mmCIF file of all heavy atoms in Angstrom:
data_model
loop_
_atom_site.group_PDB
_atom_site.id
_atom_site.type_symbol
_atom_site.label_atom_id
_atom_site.label_comp_id
_atom_site.label_asym_id
_atom_site.label_seq_id
_atom_site.Cartn_x
_atom_site.Cartn_y
_atom_site.Cartn_z
ATOM 1 N N GLN A 109 -108.134 -33.586 -15.080
ATOM 2 C CA GLN A 109 -107.508 -33.748 -13.755
ATOM 3 C C GLN A 109 -106.314 -34.663 -13.955
ATOM 4 O O GLN A 109 -106.476 -35.811 -14.400
ATOM 5 C CB GLN A 109 -108.558 -34.364 -12.830
ATOM 6 C CG GLN A 109 -108.178 -34.401 -11.385
ATOM 7 C CD GLN A 109 -109.280 -35.087 -10.585
ATOM 8 O OE1 GLN A 109 -110.460 -35.180 -11.005
ATOM 9 N NE2 GLN A 109 -108.926 -35.576 -9.417
ATOM 10 N N LEU A 110 -105.109 -34.192 -13.650
ATOM 11 C CA LEU A 110 -103.932 -35.008 -13.882
ATOM 12 C C LEU A 110 -103.502 -35.691 -12.585
ATOM 13 O O LEU A 110 -103.493 -35.100 -11.509
ATOM 14 C CB LEU A 110 -102.780 -34.100 -14.387
ATOM 15 C CG LEU A 110 -103.055 -33.338 -15.678
ATOM 16 C CD1 LEU A 110 -101.898 -32.403 -16.015
ATOM 17 C CD2 LEU A 110 -103.318 -34.288 -16.824
ATOM 18 N N TYR A 111 -103.159 -36.963 -12.748
ATOM 19 C CA TYR A 111 -102.822 -37.758 -11.576
ATOM 20 C C TYR A 111 -101.610 -38.618 -11.980
ATOM 21 O O TYR A 111 -101.651 -39.331 -12.980
ATOM 22 C CB TYR A 111 -104.030 -38.630 -11.213
ATOM 23 C CG TYR A 111 -103.828 -39.509 -10.011
ATOM 24 C CD1 TYR A 111 -103.911 -38.992 -8.710
ATOM 25 C CD2 TYR A 111 -103.573 -40.867 -10.170
ATOM 26 C CE1 TYR A 111 -103.733 -39.802 -7.611
ATOM 27 C CE2 TYR A 111 -103.391 -41.702 -9.074
ATOM 28 C CZ TYR A 111 -103.479 -41.146 -7.802
ATOM 29 O OH TYR A 111 -103.295 -41.972 -6.713
ATOM 30 N N TYR A 112 -100.531 -38.493 -11.216
ATOM 31 C CA TYR A 112 -99.265 -39.127 -11.623
ATOM 32 C C TYR A 112 -99.097 -40.436 -10.894
ATOM 33 O O TYR A 112 -99.318 -40.544 -9.698
ATOM 34 C CB TYR A 112 -98.094 -38.209 -11.329
ATOM 35 C CG TYR A 112 -98.196 -36.914 -12.090
ATOM 36 C CD1 TYR A 112 -98.978 -35.855 -11.617
ATOM 37 C CD2 TYR A 112 -97.541 -36.745 -13.328
ATOM 38 C CE1 TYR A 112 -99.088 -34.668 -12.339
ATOM 39 C CE2 TYR A 112 -97.653 -35.556 -14.046
ATOM 40 C CZ TYR A 112 -98.442 -34.548 -13.547
ATOM 41 O OH TYR A 112 -98.560 -33.386 -14.252
ATOM 42 N N ILE A 113 -98.616 -41.448 -11.639
ATOM 43 C CA ILE A 113 -98.231 -42.706 -10.985
ATOM 44 C C ILE A 113 -96.847 -43.126 -11.449
ATOM 45 O O ILE A 113 -96.399 -42.749 -12.534
ATOM 46 C CB ILE A 113 -99.241 -43.867 -11.210
ATOM 47 C CG1 ILE A 113 -99.419 -44.190 -12.699
ATOM 48 C CG2 ILE A 113 -100.603 -43.558 -10.562
ATOM 49 C CD1 ILE A 113 -100.373 -45.369 -12.953
ATOM 50 N N SER A 114 -96.166 -43.866 -10.589
ATOM 51 C CA SER A 114 -94.777 -44.236 -10.912
ATOM 52 C C SER A 114 -94.748 -45.129 -12.145
ATOM 53 O O SER A 114 -95.725 -45.778 -12.491
ATOM 54 C CB SER A 114 -94.168 -45.009 -9.729
ATOM 55 O OG SER A 114 -94.788 -46.279 -9.654
ATOM 56 N N ARG A 115 -93.610 -45.163 -12.792
ATOM 57 C CA ARG A 115 -93.463 -45.967 -13.990
ATOM 58 C C ARG A 115 -93.748 -47.440 -13.668
ATOM 59 O O ARG A 115 -94.290 -48.176 -14.512
ATOM 60 C CB ARG A 115 -92.039 -45.833 -14.555
ATOM 61 C CG ARG A 115 -91.881 -44.534 -15.278
ATOM 62 C CD ARG A 115 -90.451 -44.097 -15.500
ATOM 63 N NE ARG A 115 -90.489 -42.687 -15.912
ATOM 64 C CZ ARG A 115 -90.739 -42.258 -17.123
ATOM 65 N NH1 ARG A 115 -90.906 -43.127 -18.104
ATOM 66 N NH2 ARG A 115 -90.817 -40.975 -17.397
ATOM 67 N N GLU A 116 -93.372 -47.812 -12.473
ATOM 68 C CA GLU A 116 -93.598 -49.194 -12.026
ATOM 69 C C GLU A 116 -95.095 -49.518 -11.956
ATOM 70 O O GLU A 116 -95.576 -50.495 -12.520
ATOM 71 C CB GLU A 116 -93.005 -49.326 -10.625
ATOM 72 C CG GLU A 116 -92.309 -50.625 -10.362
ATOM 73 C CD GLU A 116 -91.451 -50.456 -9.118
ATOM 74 O OE1 GLU A 116 -91.981 -49.951 -8.093
ATOM 75 O OE2 GLU A 116 -90.260 -50.836 -9.174
ATOM 76 N N THR A 117 -95.834 -48.661 -11.251
ATOM 77 C CA THR A 117 -97.277 -48.858 -11.141
ATOM 78 C C THR A 117 -97.944 -48.760 -12.502
ATOM 79 O O THR A 117 -98.915 -49.482 -12.786
ATOM 80 C CB THR A 117 -97.912 -47.806 -10.187
ATOM 81 O OG1 THR A 117 -97.095 -47.736 -9.017
ATOM 82 C CG2 THR A 117 -99.316 -48.146 -9.819
ATOM 83 N N TYR A 118 -97.421 -47.852 -13.301
ATOM 84 C CA TYR A 118 -98.001 -47.632 -14.639
ATOM 85 C C TYR A 118 -98.019 -48.913 -15.462
ATOM 86 O O TYR A 118 -98.930 -49.125 -16.275
ATOM 87 C CB TYR A 118 -97.228 -46.543 -15.370
ATOM 88 C CG TYR A 118 -97.906 -46.027 -16.604
ATOM 89 C CD1 TYR A 118 -98.813 -44.966 -16.556
ATOM 90 C CD2 TYR A 118 -97.661 -46.585 -17.859
ATOM 91 C CE1 TYR A 118 -99.442 -44.490 -17.684
ATOM 92 C CE2 TYR A 118 -98.285 -46.113 -19.003
ATOM 93 C CZ TYR A 118 -99.170 -45.057 -18.895
ATOM 94 O OH TYR A 118 -99.805 -44.594 -20.030
ATOM 95 N N ARG A 119 -97.040 -49.761 -15.228
ATOM 96 C CA ARG A 119 -96.987 -51.022 -15.981
ATOM 97 C C ARG A 119 -98.241 -51.892 -15.749
ATOM 98 O O ARG A 119 -98.581 -52.726 -16.556
ATOM 99 C CB ARG A 119 -95.740 -51.823 -15.595
ATOM 100 C CG ARG A 119 -94.595 -51.456 -16.506
ATOM 101 C CD ARG A 119 -93.354 -52.255 -16.225
ATOM 102 N NE ARG A 119 -92.219 -51.314 -16.259
ATOM 103 C CZ ARG A 119 -91.374 -51.138 -15.257
ATOM 104 N NH1 ARG A 119 -91.444 -51.849 -14.171
ATOM 105 N NH2 ARG A 119 -90.410 -50.252 -15.384
ATOM 106 N N ASN A 120 -98.922 -51.679 -14.609
ATOM 107 C CA ASN A 120 -100.128 -52.458 -14.306
ATOM 108 C C ASN A 120 -101.392 -51.789 -14.841
ATOM 109 O O ASN A 120 -102.491 -52.105 -14.392
ATOM 110 C CB ASN A 120 -100.291 -52.604 -12.792
ATOM 111 C CG ASN A 120 -99.046 -53.161 -12.148
ATOM 112 O OD1 ASN A 120 -98.334 -53.925 -12.776
ATOM 113 N ND2 ASN A 120 -98.786 -52.770 -10.927
ATOM 114 N N LYS A 121 -101.211 -50.911 -15.809
ATOM 115 C CA LYS A 121 -102.353 -50.060 -16.233
ATOM 116 C C LYS A 121 -103.560 -50.835 -16.749
ATOM 117 O O LYS A 121 -104.667 -50.295 -16.813
ATOM 118 C CB LYS A 121 -101.912 -49.057 -17.278
ATOM 119 C CG LYS A 121 -101.309 -49.678 -18.519
ATOM 120 C CD LYS A 121 -100.625 -48.628 -19.379
ATOM 121 C CE LYS A 121 -99.898 -49.255 -20.548
ATOM 122 N NZ LYS A 121 -98.702 -50.035 -20.157
ATOM 123 N N THR A 122 -103.357 -52.103 -17.136
ATOM 124 C CA THR A 122 -104.508 -52.852 -17.613
ATOM 125 C C THR A 122 -105.036 -53.825 -16.552
ATOM 126 O O THR A 122 -105.994 -54.546 -16.759
ATOM 127 C CB THR A 122 -104.159 -53.668 -18.887
ATOM 128 O OG1 THR A 122 -103.069 -54.520 -18.562
ATOM 129 C CG2 THR A 122 -103.756 -52.765 -20.025
#
Side-chain angles (χ1 to χ4, degrees):
Q109 190 182 339
L110 302 175
Y111 181 78
Y112 299 83
I113 59 178
S114 71
R115 284 162 194 278
E116 219 164 49
T117 312
Y118 192 88
R119 271 183 224 123
N120 307 330
K121 59 192 174 290
T122 58

